Amino acid sequence: MENVSKPSEAYGKNYLPAYSLSEILIVLCIIGILIYLVVPNQTSVVTSAKSIEAQNMLSMVHGLEKSHFYRYSKYTADFNELGFEQALTIDKGGQAVYRIEITSATLNSFSATATSLQDFDGDGNYNTWQIDQDRLLKEIVKD
């Protein structure tokens, strides 16, 4: 039998097996690449989460418009008549990301939009939602 020394004997009794620096760097590079691939996909999650604000506000406007219609037999473009107060938007020091507007109001129909004040993914498009008297809620401009 050959006299083969064990690694622990070669380096002393306090030797512990460990990963080399190059192995650790390779693992960190792989993790970095995976994070790089995943982060851009998160913008759609952020957009859909923030668009819930627009959908809720437009649903509220729809309910107020319907109530106004049942009372006065017409729709209105005046937020004061509806009793709707727009939350303070981010450009005015508030937290609301969407600006709500009633784009048209006639005797038998109305249309309201919610336009984002932020470009969530940096492509130059601002997310816009629209609702009408039939409660048809649709995304006009995707971000």
Side-chain angles (χ1 to χ4, degrees):
M1 251 194 198
E2 293 182 31
N3 187 5
V4 179
S5 63
K6 296 180 183 175
S8 60
E9 294 174 358
Y11 295 103
K13 292 180 180 179
N14 294 330
Y15 173 77
L16 294 174
Y19 296 105
S20 68
L21 182 60
S22 60
E23 292 171 328
I24 292 173
L25 288 175
I26 290 171
V27 169
L28 289 176
C29 287
I30 291 171
I31 291 172
I33 291 169
L34 291 174
I35 289 173
Y36 179 74
L37 293 173
V38 169
V39 168
N41 295 335
Q42 298 302 320
T43 56
S44 64
V45 173
V46 170
T47 303
S48 61
K50 290 193 177 193
S51 70
I52 292 172
E53 172 192 339
Q55 295 169 23
N56 287 340
M57 297 301 274
L58 288 176
S59 292
M60 182 183 295
V61 168
H62 176 268
L64 292 170
E65 282 283 6
K66 278 298 191 184
S67 176
H68 186 273
F69 179 78
Y70 293 141
R71 188 173 214 186
Y72 300 106
S73 299
K74 66 177 183 172
Y75 293 105
T76 181
D78 186 10
F79 282 142
N80 291 328
E81 285 183 38
L82 292 177
F84 178 80
E85 185 175 335
Q86 166 77 45
L88 214 56
T89 54
I90 56 174
D91 60 343
K92 295 179 182 172
Q95 293 184 353
V97 180
Y98 287 85
R99 179 178 296 120
I100 310 298
E101 297 173 303
I102 298 175
T103 53
S104 68
T106 65
L107 289 175
N108 298 315
S109 67
F110 85 93
S111 176
T113 60
T115 306
S116 171
L117 300 174
Q118 262 183 345
D119 183 9
F120 300 121
D121 57 4
D123 64 354
N125 295 328
Y126 292 86
N127 189 236
T128 305
W129 287 83
Q130 183 179 39
I131 197 166
D132 64 8
Q133 70 282 350
D134 298 324
R135 200 181 181 116
L136 180 62
L137 182 65
K138 59 185 174 182
E139 190 173 22
I140 302 299
V141 178
K142 293 186 178 196
D143 188 17

